[in-house]
Amino acid sequence: LRRSIAVSLALLAFANAQDGGPPSGDNTGRHTYSCDASKCKLPDCACASTSPPGGLSPQDTPMFILFTADDAVQPYTLNSVNQFLAQRRNPNGCPVKMTFFTSLGYTNYANVTDWYVAGNEIADHTMTHVNLPNADEINGNLMALNSLSGIPLSEIRGFRAPFLNFSAETLQIVKDSQFLYDSSTSASVPVTDPNTDAYWPYTLDNGLANSCDNEGIEGTVCDGKPVLPGLWEIPMYSIFDERGVAGVHLMDPWLY
C-alpha cells in the first residue's frame, strides 16, 4: 500500500465540548463554525462535535475504530490488509471488516469483487489518483467499479480524495454524485487539546469544520462553507507519537 493502512479513529469516544460543536473550526481561532443542534438533528443532519451523539457520556460510549486503505487493489495489498485484520476481533468475536478506497490504476477487479463479497466496503478514490479530481475522474471510477467488479452503484457510498487534497468543488461533485459521505479531511489536533478538531462524523449542512487551512483551498471551505446538506464528513484522526504535533502524524501530507 502506497500509504500503508490509514487508521480512521473517526468515532473515538472522547468528549470535551457541548452538543452542537465547538465555537471554532480549527485550533488557531481563525475560522468559525456554527451549528444549531436544536435544528440540525439526526438522522439527516449532525453538527460537528466532540461530544458523543444522543447525550451519552464518554464512559458509556463504545469506541468505534474504522480501518481504511487507499489506492490499487491487488493480491499483495489484500494479503497485507488481511494479515492486519486477522489479528483483530470485535468484542463480540466477529471478524473485523474495513473500507478500501479504490482507484483504477493497477487494480485487479477480480480482487475487488472478492473483497466486497467477503463483507468489506469498496469506496471511490478516483480513476487515476489525480490531484483535485474533476467529475469525470470521480464518476468514471464509479462506473469502472460497477462494470468491472459487479458492485452495485448503490453500494459505493464513500469517497476519499487522492493525497487528501480537495476543494469546495470536489465536495460539490461528491454531493452531486449522490455519495453518502466524504472522508478526505483530517483531525490534526490531539484529543487532549481543548481545541481538538477530532469530531464525530457530521454533515455539511453548516460547512466544514476540519482541514480549514489546507494549501490552495483557504477561504473556500469552513466559515460556513460549503453548504452541502446531508453529505457526511468522516474526518481521519491523526495518530501521535511522543513528539506530538511536531512528529509525523498524517501520512499523506508528510509523504507527498
Side-chain angles (χ1 to χ4, degrees), residues 24 30 39-40 56 82 86 103 105 117 136 144 156 159-160 200 223 250:
S24 171
R30 291 193 299 269
K39 297 178 180 179
C40 180
L56 291 173
N82 282 327
S103 52
V117 170
D136 289 340
I156 306 171
F159 174 80
R160 176 173 291 162
W200 286 70
D223 301 314
L250 282 171

Side-chain angles (χ1 to χ4, degrees), residues 4 15 18 44 51 62 68 111 118 145 150 153 163-164 168 192 200 246 255:
S4 185
Q18 298 300 313
D44 300 318
S51 297
T68 73
N111 291 146
L145 290 168
L153 290 173
F163 314 114
L164 306 185
T192 52
W200 286 70
L255 294 181

Side-chain angles (χ1 to χ4, degrees), residues 24-28 30-31 33 48 161 163-168 171 182-189 195-199 202 204 207-223 225-226 233-238 250 252-253:
S24 171
D26 70 352
N27 64 317
T28 66
R30 291 193 299 269
H31 300 279
Y33 175 84
F163 314 114
L164 306 185
N165 285 342
F166 65 93
S167 64
L171 295 175
D182 171 75
S183 186
S184 303
T185 64
S186 56
S188 56
V189 183
N195 292 313
T196 183
D197 57 352
Y199 304 130
Y202 59 96
L204 299 186
L208 271 178
N210 293 89
S211 301
C212 297
D213 292 316
N214 281 14
E215 184 177 353
I217 62 171
E218 306 97 326
T220 65
V221 299
C222 298
D223 301 314
K225 298 174 289 190
E233 185 61 39
I234 303 180
M236 287 181 287
Y237 284 18
S238 302
L250 282 171
D252 266 302

Side-chain angles (χ1 to χ4, degrees), residues 50-237:
T50 53
S51 297
L56 291 173
S57 62
Q59 59 268 29
D60 294 329
T61 307
M63 179 184 288
F64 296 87
I65 300 177
L66 309 183
F67 295 114
T68 73
D70 298 356
D71 300 345
V73 175
Q74 295 181 335
Y76 82 92
T77 57
L78 291 190
N79 286 340
S80 297
V81 295
N82 282 327
Q83 290 176 32
F84 173 82
L85 294 177
Q87 304 175 49
R88 290 158 177 82
R89 283 289 184 272
N90 282 297
N92 62 359
C94 290
V96 174
K97 304 298 181 180
M98 67 183 290
T99 299
F100 212 118
F101 291 90
T102 308
S103 52
L104 185 149
Y106 306 105
T107 283
N108 183 317
Y109 285 92
N111 291 146
V112 174
T113 303
D114 292 342
W115 180 257
Y116 171 74
V117 170
N120 299 288
E121 181 185 18
I122 291 292
D124 194 331
H125 198 48
T126 75
M127 295 182 67
T128 61
H129 206 272
V130 296
N131 189 40
L132 298 177
N134 58 27
D136 289 340
E137 277 282 342
I138 295 171
N139 293 321
N141 199 44
L142 276 177
M143 291 185 285
L145 290 168
N146 172 249
S147 61
L148 300 178
S149 296
I151 302 175
L153 290 173
S154 60
E155 292 295 304
I156 306 171
R157 311 298 304 279
F159 174 80
R160 176 173 291 162
F163 314 114
L164 306 185
N165 285 342
F166 65 93
S167 64
E169 180 182 2
T170 308
L171 295 175
Q172 183 67 60
I173 295 170
V174 172
K175 168 69 173 177
D176 293 343
S177 300
Q178 300 183 347
F179 285 93
L180 176 65
Y181 72 91
D182 171 75
S183 186
S184 303
T185 64
S186 56
S188 56
V189 183
V191 295
T192 52
D193 189 309
N195 292 313
T196 183
D197 57 352
Y199 304 130
W200 286 70
Y202 59 96
T203 60
L204 299 186
D205 293 62
N206 297 277
L208 271 178
N210 293 89
S211 301
C212 297
D213 292 316
N214 281 14
E215 184 177 353
I217 62 171
E218 306 97 326
T220 65
V221 299
C222 298
D223 301 314
K225 298 174 289 190
V227 175
L228 301 170
L231 179 64
W232 286 84
E233 185 61 39
I234 303 180
M236 287 181 287
Y237 284 18

